[in-house]
Amino acid sequence: MPDELIELLKRHREEQEAERATAAQLWRDGGYAFATPTGEPIDPSTDYHQWKRLLSEAGIRDGRLHDARHTAAIVLLILGVPERAVMGLMGWSTTAMTARYQHITGTVRDDVARLVGGLIWGAVGTD
């Protein structure tokens, strides 16, 4: 994980510890990283509503939360992350899932074309 994300998670854990202290005997320890102020699991629809609000506030077109997985896979591809690493990060057990999520973008196609062109024509006359 990026160092910045680790720091955010540490801060979140500290905030959750403060919630635990405030809730006292009302705290229900289920071991959740993200929980209500009393330690109970968050309603699954919460992610949906927060995602929609986040998109709206950012002025980004509406989309499913699941679409963010596609975006993450594409970003990893653009960054040149090896397929096996992407599979591990995304929790996939087969390369078929990688193919399903990673879509070749115009930028990636252009980069590949430049690499191939450099390999073929860059070597010409370099005896």
Side-chain angles (χ1 to χ4, degrees):
M1 285 190 287
D3 292 339
E4 297 84 357
L5 179 56
I6 291 170
E7 287 306 312
L8 285 171
L9 289 172
K10 284 179 182 177
R11 222 172 327 149
H12 173 71
R13 181 174 43 201
E14 291 167 4
E15 291 169 5
Q16 193 175 55
E17 288 301 321
E19 288 177 345
R20 179 190 308 261
T22 300
Q25 73 275 9
L26 297 177
W27 184 265
R28 302 290 176 250
D29 193 357
Y32 299 104
F34 298 97
T36 68
T38 57
E40 297 181 66
I42 296 173
D43 183 308
S45 68
T46 301
D47 283 346
Y48 172 84
H49 296 297
Q50 288 183 350
W51 175 253
K52 295 297 184 177
R53 184 178 44 82
L54 178 67
L55 292 176
S56 176
E57 289 175 2
I60 298 173
R61 72 167 177 81
D62 190 32
R64 301 171 305 159
L65 179 56
H66 184 76
D67 294 336
R69 285 183 61 83
H70 289 268
T71 301
I74 291 167
V75 167
L76 293 172
L77 175 64
I78 290 170
L79 292 173
V81 175
E83 186 173 300
R84 283 284 181 203
V86 173
M87 289 173 60
L89 290 167
M90 301 300 285
W92 301 328
S93 59
T94 67
T95 56
M97 286 302 292
T98 306
R100 181 177 179 184
Y101 278 82
Q102 288 184 329
H103 310 288
I104 302 297
T105 64
T107 303
V108 172
R109 280 192 199 100
D110 293 346
D111 289 346
V112 170
R114 268 191 297 283
L115 288 170
V116 171
L119 179 65
I120 296 172
W121 285 279
V124 174
T126 59
D127 294 329

